[in-house]
Amino acid sequence: MNDKEAAFRAEMRDRMARYLELRDTVGERAAREELMAGYPARQRACMAPYLDSSSSLTEAIAKVLPVFEEMGLQEEVVDCSTPERECALVVTRTCLCKAAAEDLGITDPPSLHCELSVEATSRAFDDITAEVMLRQVRGAHACALRYIRPVSTDS
C-alpha cells in the first residue's frame, strides 16, 4: 500500500468512526449533515475543471479516475447516455465502507462513503443527479454510482 492509499484509507476510517460516534449521540440525519459540511464545495473544486470543459459527463469522470487509482480505488466508468441525457455509471470494486469497517472491527457497516459522495455531487452541481445503485456492504459484488445530467444544447 502506497502513502496516498494509506492516508486515504485512514481518512475514510476516521470519517466512518466519526459518523458512528455522531450517529449515537445526535442521530443519523444530523450525523450525515455534520459530515457533509464543506464536502459539496470540495467536490465542486475537484470536479468543476473537468465538468466545465467540453467533455461529456463520462469523459469528465474518466479523467479523474487515475487520481482515485493512486488512492487505491479500482473503478471504471461506463457511458449509458441517451440523446436526452448523459449518464455515467461508475463501477467501484474497492468498497471504502468495507475497508473502513475492517479497520474499525465493524461487521455490519453503514453505506456511508458512496452516499456522502453522491449527495455532495448533487449539492455541488445543480444539473447533476447522483445515486448509489449497488452497495458491496449490502451484498453486491461491486459498488455502482450513477450520475445523470441533461444533454447540453449549447453550440
Side-chain angles (χ1 to χ4, degrees):
M1 182 179 307
N2 68 43
D3 291 343
K4 285 184 182 181
E5 185 176 349
F8 184 66
R9 184 169 173 143
E11 181 182 339
M12 295 300 103
R13 179 198 61 233
D14 294 347
R15 182 184 292 167
M16 175 80 70
R18 178 77 176 132
Y19 166 75
L20 294 171
E21 176 185 305
L22 285 167
R23 185 187 68 182
D24 291 345
T25 58
V26 298
E28 183 174 340
R29 181 175 290 147
R32 286 178 183 261
E33 281 305 314
E34 174 79 19
L35 294 178
M36 286 299 296
Y39 200 169
R42 292 188 306 274
Q43 196 80 325
R44 184 169 229 342
C46 175
M47 289 300 298
Y50 301 100
L51 292 169
D52 292 342
S53 71
S54 61
S55 297
S56 73
L57 183 58
T58 300
E59 290 168 341
I61 291 171
K63 289 177 184 175
V64 179
L65 294 185
V67 173
F68 293 129
E69 186 176 346
E70 289 178 5
M71 295 183 287
L73 298 177
Q74 297 175 349
E75 298 179 308
E76 59 187 271
V77 63
V78 179
D79 189 346
C80 301
S81 299
T82 66
E84 298 80 30
R85 64 185 189 171
E86 293 181 86
C87 179
L89 183 66
V90 178
V91 179
T92 306
R93 293 181 302 277
T94 306
C95 180
L96 299 174
C97 295
K98 284 177 67 174
E102 180 182 300
D103 291 350
L104 295 169
I106 298 168
T107 57
D108 187 26
S111 176
L112 179 70
H113 299 306
C114 290
E115 290 175 8
L116 291 176
S117 177
V118 297
E119 180 67 23
T121 300
S122 293
R123 291 183 188 188
F125 301 97
D126 293 336
D127 62 338
I128 296 178
T129 303
E131 178 182 9
V132 180
M133 304 300 294
L134 296 172
R135 296 163 178 85
Q136 287 186 48
V137 295
R138 298 296 169 256
H141 295 287
C143 297
L145 297 82
R146 181 176 66 183
Y147 299 90
I148 297 172
R149 74 176 176 185
V151 169
S152 175
T153 56
D154 297 338
S155 307

